[in-house]
Amino acid sequence: MKSLDEQVLVITGATSGIGLSTARMAARKGARLVLAARDSAALDRLVEELRAGGAEALAVPTDVGRHDEVAALGRAAVGRFGRIDSWINNAGISIFGRNADVPLEDQQQLFQTNFWGVVHGSLVALQLMKDGGGAIINLGSELSDRAVPLQGMYSASKHAVKGYTDALRMEIEKDALPLSVTLIKPAGIDTMFIPHARNYMPHEPELPAPLYAPEVVADAILYAAEHPQRDIFVGGASKLVSLEARTMPGLLDRFMNLIMFS
């Protein structure tokens, strides 16, 4: 694993929240960046900001739910910098509401971004990095191990990301490829997560405390880019939720029903 100042990083969902913090932190550490998001204007502003600070960065507008656009992202990265050392599948969206109240079209769109975006990115990264090596880093959640009410499809997508990441890791290990595969599992993070989510409840949702800064997740992501890791919990609450989900799932159901709806 190269040090960050020798790496080329691809980051999806780079214009807000965890992706934005990761891009800025990686730029300060000297990495060369290929940044993807759907908002081309926001991408251009971010690249201008990073270049003004002396970083090398390339903006590639991308809808991660479309495999052809993710493949084009990979080609653009290799075309500009000659290789990719770490690929970070970070893009994600959420929906708040009871499963029966959320239109199927919205649920399918969420899965297209949160799950298929990870699949598309992982497959493109595998194809482009299998000879040179590096890290594939997927953003899961504390909800990769435990579902919560009112974010049913988001929870399902993060469960699916975990299952896919674990299966991909085994296949890479079986083929003895020089790739590290890491799942990042943050707790609640203080970002624009709620304003960017679609809400089918009568009131604006609120994430339960504790909330952690996105820079804490960015630090974990960049650590995984330099050090092979299987899973990284970000925030003590994430590790606690995972432990409770394994040891007392029924009790946790009742506790969440008591507090999460309010």
Side-chain angles (χ1 to χ4, degrees), residues 63-67 70 109 112-113 116-117 120:
D63 180 351
V64 297
R66 294 179 54 89
H67 183 267
V70 178
Q109 179 59 52
Q112 194 67 26
T113 298
W116 284 105
H120 296 156

Side-chain angles (χ1 to χ4, degrees), residues 5-244:
D5 60 1
E6 298 176 331
Q7 286 204 31
V8 176
L9 271 64
V10 173
I11 305 173
T12 68
T15 54
S16 68
I18 293 168
L20 178 59
S21 294
T22 303
R24 287 170 170 164
M25 188 177 293
R28 290 195 297 270
K29 292 177 179 289
R32 288 171 286 177
L33 302 173
V34 181
L35 305 176
R38 286 182 293 184
D39 188 337
S40 59
L43 266 181
D44 289 340
R45 289 193 298 270
L46 175 58
V47 165
E48 288 177 10
E49 171 196 323
L50 299 180
R51 287 176 177 170
E56 292 186 69
L58 173 67
V60 185
T62 306
D63 180 351
V64 297
R66 294 179 54 89
H67 183 267
D68 58 335
E69 294 192 18
V70 178
L73 169 64
R75 290 194 299 269
V78 173
R80 173 66 176 272
F81 294 114
R83 69 177 196 277
I84 301 166
D85 299 300
S86 293
W87 185 296
I88 301 159
N89 288 307
N90 165 74
I93 55 177
S94 190
I95 300 172
F96 286 86
R98 292 173 179 262
N99 287 319
D101 295 337
V102 177
L104 284 176
E105 296 80 10
D106 283 355
Q107 298 190 46
Q108 290 164 350
Q109 179 59 52
L110 182 149
F111 232 81
Q112 194 67 26
T113 298
N114 290 14
F115 175 67
W116 284 105
V118 169
V119 173
H120 296 156
S122 296
L123 291 177
V124 171
L126 175 61
Q127 182 63 34
L128 296 176
M129 298 168 62
K130 62 183 180 180
D131 296 324
I136 298 173
I137 302 168
N138 293 338
L139 264 291
S141 167
E142 61 184 344
L143 304 188
S144 295
D145 296 330
R146 169 69 211 188
V148 295
L150 305 177
Q151 285 193 91
M153 193 52 62
Y154 180 82
S155 299
S157 72
K158 293 303 183 177
H159 274 61
V161 166
K162 179 184 185 304
Y164 182 80
T165 301
D166 288 345
L168 178 68
R169 184 187 299 108
M170 287 187 284
E171 293 170 3
I172 285 173
E173 290 174 349
K174 177 65 175 177
D175 293 340
L177 299 178
L179 290 170
S180 168
V181 180
T182 300
L183 182 67
I184 306 291
K185 295 195 249 185
I189 306 299
D190 187 13
T191 65
M192 296 294 287
F193 181 81
I194 286 179
H196 288 171
R198 182 157 290 179
N199 181 25
Y200 284 96
M201 303 190 300
H203 303 288
E204 185 78 2
E206 184 176 304
L207 292 179
L211 297 182
Y212 300 85
E215 290 79 10
V216 180
V217 191
D219 190 57
I221 290 169
L222 297 181
Y223 182 84
E226 293 183 306
H227 306 88
Q229 302 287 309
R230 180 185 179 90
D231 298 314
I232 300 180
F233 291 97
V234 181
S238 176
K239 187 174 291 187
L240 179 61
V241 166
S242 180
L243 175 63
E244 291 172 339

